Amino acid sequence: MIKKRSMLLPNLIKCKGLYLKQPFTFLETADLGTGIIFQQIDKTLIMTKEYDWSQFVCKININSTVESIYDAWTIPRHLETWFLRSATFRDEDGDLRDKNLHLRAGDTYEWFWYGYADNVVEKGKVLAANGMNKLQFSFTRGAEVIVDIGTSFNETIVMLTQSNMPDGEDGKRIRIDCMAGWSFYLANFKSRMARGIDLRNKNVDLINMVNS
């Protein structure tokens, strides 16, 4: 990702074409946080890279330690306090993993969410778990998710990357739905870690809620 200094883009408008003509004032290439790279030439903003629908990144700062955050992502009982209604993991022999112990690479999982009946379930596999600050697992429709935990400017940052989503309109729908979902659950994670407040909708009769 190209990182540049902050800048204002006056009168920026949406456009499905290849360029936008506006009175822009900067003279450098910029990543606007969308995966599309723009460059200004003679007051014309030129799109120089296609939008990448196959992946996205969500980041959030959390007022906690790297160790505590890793535990919250890798101990099933902790996952159920902010993310899942039920988080079941089995080791490579098929035995149930204790919900109070860390999951490990090679584990398979079965996840259920609040706000949804038991016929809505996600099944996948833990691809990596380094015991410190990184988790990787398979996700819906062949996608993969990597969770990196680190520090920046004296803050602890959780960075979630989902990739390998399918091409076409189906892949676009998955990207939009998953990014919206992860954005909420990361916000709920921050709420739980900071104040102990759970924002999830737990009423299965309420549908199309932003918090489930």
Side-chain angles (χ1 to χ4, degrees), residues 55-210:
Q55 64 179 344
F56 64 83
V57 176
C58 294
K59 295 189 290 184
I60 195 167
N61 58 324
I62 305 290
N63 185 22
S64 188
T65 65
V66 171
E67 180 181 7
S68 295
I69 293 172
Y70 184 82
D71 288 348
W73 278 87
T74 59
I75 296 177
R77 190 73 69 191
H78 291 197
L79 277 170
E80 293 173 349
T81 67
W82 66 272
F83 181 35
L84 299 162
R85 171 163 57 90
S86 175
T88 300
F89 290 82
R90 294 181 180 273
D91 63 23
E92 292 180 303
D93 294 324
D95 296 327
L96 280 172
R97 187 166 296 286
D98 189 321
K99 287 198 173 188
N100 296 301
L101 298 179
H102 288 93
L103 54 85
R104 295 184 180 180
D107 286 0
T108 56
Y109 69 76
E110 191 173 74
W111 291 349
F112 298 88
W113 283 269
Y114 280 112
Y116 294 91
D118 286 345
N119 63 338
V120 178
V121 57
E122 183 72 33
K123 297 181 180 182
K125 185 174 182 178
V126 179
L127 304 175
N130 69 0
M132 297 178 295
N133 58 8
K134 187 170 186 175
L135 172 67
Q136 182 176 359
F137 52 90
S138 65
F139 201 50
T140 184
R141 298 291 303 277
E144 293 184 3
V145 173
I146 297 176
V147 179
D148 288 296
I149 309 163
T151 58
S152 180
F153 296 101
N154 299 316
E155 299 231 33
T156 308
I157 306 296
V158 175
M159 182 173 73
L160 182 146
T161 305
Q162 182 167 317
S163 61
N164 201 36
M165 283 170 283
D167 295 329
E169 293 303 314
D170 190 42
K172 292 179 181 180
R173 179 188 60 79
I174 291 171
R175 184 195 192 282
I176 292 169
D177 289 348
C178 286
M179 189 169 186
W182 284 122
S183 295
F184 165 70
Y185 283 110
L186 287 172
N188 191 51
F189 180 49
K190 180 166 183 158
S191 176
R192 286 286 293 174
M193 296 293 282
R195 301 289 184 181
I197 299 174
D198 189 351
L199 305 175
R200 292 175 292 177
N201 164 45
K202 298 183 179 181
N203 186 344
V204 71
D205 294 322
L206 298 176
I207 62 174
N208 297 325
M209 309 296 288
V210 298

Side-chain angles (χ1 to χ4, degrees), residues 10-46:
N11 302 319
L12 179 62
I13 60 173
K14 295 182 179 178
C15 179
K16 294 183 179 179
L18 295 179
Y19 61 88
L20 293 168
K21 292 184 178 180
Q22 290 290 305
F24 298 105
T25 58
F26 66 96
L27 296 171
E28 59 186 338
T29 303
D31 183 340
L32 303 181
T34 62
I36 304 174
I37 298 175
F38 295 87
Q39 186 174 26
Q40 181 188 352
I41 302 176
D42 295 331
K43 297 185 178 180
T44 299
L45 196 64
I46 306 296

